[in-house]
Amino acid sequence: MVERLSNKWVATVASIWIQCSSGSYTFGVYSSVLKSSQGYDQSTLETVAVFRDIGSTAGVLSGVLYTAVTCNKYSGFCGPWLVHLAGAIQGFFGYFLMWAAVVGLIERPRLPVMCLFMLLSSHSMTFFNTANVVSGVQNFPQFSGTIVGIMKGCAGISGAMLIQVYDTFYKGEPSTFLLMLALLPTFITLVLMLLVKIYKTNRGDEKKYLNCFSAVVLIIAGYLMIITVLENIFSLPLWAHIFKFILLLLLLASPLGIAIQAQKDDSKRLLEMFSFESNPSMDNPESMGSSSKTFLAKDLAYHELPSGEAQVNVALDHTIMFDEDGGKNLLQAMCTVNFWLLFIAMVCGMGSTQAVMNNLSQIGQSLNYTTVEANNLISLWSICNCLGRVGVGYLSDYLLHTRGWPRPLFIAITLATIVIGHLIIASGFPGMLYVGSILMGICDGSQWSLMPTITSDIFGVRHMGTIFNTIAIACPVGSYIFSVRVIGYIYDKEAGGEDHSCFGTRCFMLSFFIMASLAFLGFLFAIALFQRTKRFFMLSRLKHSLK
């Protein structure tokens, strides 16, 4: 039984389930009870929310821990499960202490202490993300974009899944939702964390089954979107809530069937291989010839890329091709131009999309959208975010391996689309906020899928967790600049009346023009990264074609 559970497919399913329970994008559910129970005003609540953003993106510690516990020297005892355990402990104490403060179990904490609770609870997600994403990349190095998209997509819709549990059993009790966040993700992580391991094997049709996992994630996202819209339109009875929850559980269980089938095919292929090896090699001279050609191809100094690109001198350029275990550490990466090109591009991209997400309800209110329409906008953003994470992750793998498109080109395309999205929302025309939200949601998810993948491509896998979590700090940095220094400042100048509210396109139009200009600056940095790494990705494609 233990042997059946010890394979990369079961590890992937365990990672998917842990990601689906991590609980991102749930602050809106309990923010009202947090505000009322602690006597906060809106600015104080926003201060607490800032620590949530910092905790959920600043995952350098999780990257350092992952690198330390997965090095070969300690592989007999350590592993990704220690990173999961650290995340589970933080999440439990952060949410449990917030719940205790809300229900009066402990004395009302001061603001810095509550900010610490929020930081702990949100910081746990970076540990889950690092353990699952980096382990997935090490298990499927040839399809890193696809596996990162799957893991990031599951994290993106985890909040919607936990809200379904809440709506089914505890709706109307936001304080109980805090307790659920403390217990449910912790329990699931502790049960599954030992299954998440690194298996450095490469056999079978991995792409086929990874595509199946991607399809399941997209189906779940679509299902959540449909029931969210239905709940905003109709008042569903209890039996309907239970039915849709059971159906969601069945969808969540489906990756296990994919893993079982994948493992059966791998086992069958291994048996055929052993059967073949038991025969004398001279019985199949054609196979020997094919094998000799493969080794000869790998020894040649020059190769022609499959789609007719210029010849590449592999012998001279081997120093920039990292194997799955090598690469640069954080300090070495930070001394390169590529690191800062990617970081600045992410400040302009992630920062502006996060600022739009944080202010989406207020933007809708200023344009006279109803509460139901505003809620639909947020749901639409979440689902499109998942679509971007999964879809662009898969697309970047496909076009890299078949067309030779470098991944930084996708970052550039994403930033160009963000510019268009900002301009569409700035127009203020009826319905344009929906169109802009769809574009921006897809682009936001795309960046969270592409950035870790590009990091592993350029800087290697060994220190990937530390490096991509450092680059992820660009998100709160950019969000602070755009949300506070641009959107907040201009909105307050335009607002009037005692409630400091603003209506009309003038409230946000200038802010979106500024963010569009800076997103275009990020586009230029992404183009520079594309030009600098174009040759590297040509070699990467060649390396993949020879495996």
Side-chain angles (χ1 to χ4, degrees), residues 408-431:
L409 180 60
F410 291 91
I411 289 285
I413 294 172
T414 297
L415 282 158
T417 308
I418 289 173
V419 174
I420 296 172
H422 284 314
L423 296 177
I424 287 174
I425 297 176
S427 70
F429 293 128

Side-chain angles (χ1 to χ4, degrees), residues 104-140:
L105 193 63
I106 61 175
E107 186 179 350
R108 181 184 296 180
R110 296 188 177 188
L111 180 60
V113 178
M114 182 60 77
C115 290
L116 176 62
F117 295 165
M118 179 60 72
L119 184 69
L120 274 176
S121 60
S122 59
H123 198 228
S124 64
M125 287 186 285
T126 66
F127 284 77
F128 300 147
N129 269 317
T130 299
N132 295 319
V133 168
V134 183
S135 296
V137 170
Q138 296 207 35
N139 284 333
F140 302 99

Side-chain angles (χ1 to χ4, degrees), residues 273-335:
M273 186 184 303
F274 290 144
S275 175
F276 175 78
E277 289 178 352
S278 64
N279 296 324
S281 58
M282 291 302 294
D283 289 347
N284 197 343
E286 183 180 345
S287 176
M288 284 187 65
S290 175
S291 177
S292 300
K293 289 177 183 179
T294 301
F295 285 109
L296 180 61
K298 291 188 178 182
D299 287 335
L300 288 176
Y302 286 85
H303 303 274
E304 185 175 348
L305 293 175
S307 59
E309 290 92 337
Q311 289 182 327
V312 180
N313 190 338
V314 179
L316 294 178
D317 290 294
H318 75 280
T319 55
I320 66 170
M321 295 296 293
F322 303 117
D323 60 32
E324 284 74 12
D325 293 322
K328 297 180 182 293
N329 60 34
L330 177 59
L331 292 178
Q332 290 171 334
M334 291 180 71
C335 292

Side-chain angles (χ1 to χ4, degrees), residues 102 130 150 192 198 243 284 322 333 346 384 410 430 475 478 489 517:
V102 166
T130 299
I150 291 169
L192 299 175
I198 300 170
F243 176 79
N284 197 343
F322 303 117
M346 291 300 95
C384 291
F410 291 91
C475 180
Y489 175 75
S517 301

Side-chain angles (χ1 to χ4, degrees), residues 51-67:
F51 280 86
R52 175 195 59 123
D53 292 339
I54 294 173
S56 62
T57 53
V60 178
L61 289 178
S62 64
V64 171
L65 178 61
Y66 185 91
T67 302

